[in-house]
Every structure is written in C-alpha cells, then in structure tokens.
Amino acid sequence: MGPPWPVRRCYRHPVWDPGRGLCWEWGTRTFVMGIINATDDSFSGDGVADRLDEALALTRELVAAGVDIIDVGGASSRPGAEPTPLEEERRRAVGVIGAVRAELDRIGAELPISVDTTWADVAAPALDAGASVVNDITGFRLDPDMAPLVAERGAAAVIMHNQRGRPHTDLVADVIAGLEASLQICADAGIGTDRIVVDPGFGFGFGVSQNLEMMRRLPEFWSLELPVLIGTSRKSTIGAVTDTKPGDRLFGTASTIVAAICAGIDVVRVHDAAEMMQAVRMTDAIVRPAR
C-alpha cells in the first residue's frame, strides 16, 4: 500500500500568477498566505488598525518567516461583528497596503499583496496602492461590481464559499455548488480560471462538526481542478476542540495545517507565520519528497 496522503493532483492550469511577474507552480509545495488585520476588532486579537509601525514590523516578520503572499483586510469578518463603514474599511486597508508595498520594495522582497474585501470600492484603490490579488469571502456574490473590476485590472482572485444564511444539505455539495456559482460569475466577467484560487470557507456558516467534516473531506474539492486555499488559523472550531483562546491555538492550528497539506491543499492562510512555516516545510518534506 502507498502512503495515506495524495501525491498527485490534477489542475486546469499548472501555474497561477498572483502579480508582479510571480508564478506559483501548483503541486510542487504548499504556499503560505500571511495575515495582516488592519482592523481593531479582529477575532484573533492581532489587529493593527491605524498603527502603521506595527503593520510594518509584522510585514518584516512575515518576510523573514518565508510567506509567499501577504493578505491585508480592513474589516472584521468574525460572526456577529458590527459592519465596518465602507469609508473606514477603505481607509484602513488602502493605507496599510500602500505602506506594506513600500516596505516590501524597500527591503527587496518580491511578495504579492492580496486585499481581503467584499467591496469593489475598497478593492479598486487597494489595487492602485499595490495589491494584485482580491480575496473575497463572498466569492464575488455580494458586490456585482467586484468581478468586472478584477477582470478589468487583470488581478488574481481568491473566491471563497460563504455558507452564512444559506440552508445545509450536504456539506461538500453545498460548498461546490457555491463555488461553481462564483466561478460562473468570474466566467461571465471574463476572469479566467488560471487566475483563481478557491476557498471552501472553513468557519463561515459551519458548526464545529461541519468544519471537522470539511477537513476530512478536503480531497473531494479536487473535482474543481483548481488550487484550494484553507483558512483555519486560530478559528473557533480549534478553540472548541482544544478549549483555548485565540492566542493559544498555535498547536491546534498547526494540526489543521498538517492535515490540510496531507489532503492536498495548495495554500494555507495563517497568523503565526514562523511557527506555521515549520509545520508546512516539514509536512511538505514528507508528503512531497520528490518535489
């Protein structure tokens, strides 16, 4: 018998260009998205709203850890969070992205930046400020101007399925149906699948048992033949299982990342970059030895 993890994947496109002339070859290793929350109400307690010095220090930490992309968001997406006014989200996100882009250029780090937003009015100035990827937790299903903007700008995209407010039938079927709806929006706008990464939406409208089921069934998302991102870092399911607060979920998060890599996931989104990079590199060495 072979190893209990997949060693090959099928993709519609072998590489993804997240901007600035950088191409990622899928299947060769796990790519890491480091998080900068330009907010003051993040569930994870690591927001740096209006504190550019902290944002720049975190940028240098992420670069030193070896992440592949930095994700900046100006509004909290935690359950029950008060909606952030659009002007405030734009101010926070664009200010941090501009500062991070300048810092990356200063230290000679060729890293792309993604903007985590659901609104075209935030994404547009964020792309002007130095982002090249749009990470939308609604999969372009909220703002009808988002997909046309991404198409016009030639940006890459992370489209997530969000189950909040939607009834459940079968978990994977629900997620795939949602992602297929988002992919149709992308196709209608002229965004090629070579520019898309999909995210099944761990924690977005799912309970603990459903999130754990998602982790067990991750290989089923291969049917989309697209690279898959997972964002489990510090989330409440880990807290429920391990009885820990967000800042104490390091080992629980690492466990989910190891499991995701063994299931063939391509990108992991993390807070604790240095520690998670160890988990990623060690797991890749086991799962993808020939790579």
Side-chain angles (χ1 to χ4, degrees), residues 23-284:
C23 289
W24 296 0
E25 185 178 354
W26 299 122
T28 58
R29 64 183 179 89
T30 305
F31 294 84
V32 179
M33 173 182 280
I35 300 168
I36 295 181
N37 283 315
T39 62
D40 56 8
D41 57 349
S42 170
F43 85 93
S44 56
D46 62 343
V48 295
D50 300 316
R51 299 188 298 279
L52 286 183
D53 55 337
E54 294 182 28
L56 297 182
L58 182 52
T59 298
R60 293 187 290 270
E61 290 178 14
L62 293 172
V63 171
V67 304
D68 298 286
I69 184 170
I70 295 176
D71 188 50
V72 178
S76 175
S77 58
R78 63 181 172 82
E82 289 293 324
T84 302
L86 184 62
E87 298 79 6
E88 182 70 7
E89 179 185 349
R90 181 169 54 227
R91 183 186 64 79
R92 291 173 176 175
V94 174
V96 170
I97 287 171
V100 169
R101 180 77 272 155
E103 183 67 7
L104 292 174
D105 291 343
R106 185 187 71 81
I107 63 179
E110 288 292 329
L111 264 66
I113 300 171
S114 57
V115 56
D116 182 354
T117 185
T118 60
W119 304 109
D121 283 346
V122 175
L127 293 170
D128 292 337
S132 56
V133 180
V134 174
N135 178 12
D136 186 343
I137 65 168
T138 70
F140 297 168
R141 296 172 74 180
L142 177 63
D143 186 344
D145 294 328
M146 184 68 94
L149 170 71
V150 171
E152 177 187 352
R153 297 296 191 91
V158 177
I159 58 170
M160 195 193 83
H161 172 70
N162 194 325
Q163 193 66 33
R164 290 176 182 168
R166 295 187 170 97
H168 293 284
T169 53
D170 174 83
L171 185 142
V172 171
D174 291 341
V175 173
I176 288 179
L179 289 173
E180 287 178 340
S182 293
L183 290 171
Q184 187 60 56
I185 292 170
C186 290
D188 292 343
I191 304 169
T193 51
D194 58 327
R195 290 156 56 191
I196 296 171
V197 169
V198 297
D199 177 349
F202 182 98
F204 282 82
F206 297 110
V208 173
S209 63
Q210 292 163 324
N211 285 322
L212 297 176
E213 179 185 353
M214 179 185 293
M215 294 298 296
R216 288 190 291 269
R217 299 179 67 183
L218 284 175
E220 295 181 47
F221 297 112
W222 294 9
S223 64
L224 294 168
E225 297 182 0
L226 291 170
V228 181
L229 176 149
I230 194 80
T232 60
S233 185
R234 298 185 181 179
K235 287 190 174 174
S236 60
T237 291
I238 297 171
V241 172
T242 62
D243 191 24
T244 53
K245 296 179 180 179
D248 297 324
R249 296 171 186 169
L250 189 68
F251 296 111
T253 296
S255 297
T256 62
I257 285 174
V258 170
I261 295 171
C262 290
I265 290 299
D266 300 283
V267 189
V268 293
R269 184 176 182 271
V270 304
H271 296 88
D272 304 287
E275 294 86 351
M276 294 308 112
M277 285 300 301
Q278 287 194 27
V280 167
R281 288 168 177 156
M282 192 66 228
T283 311
D284 273 356

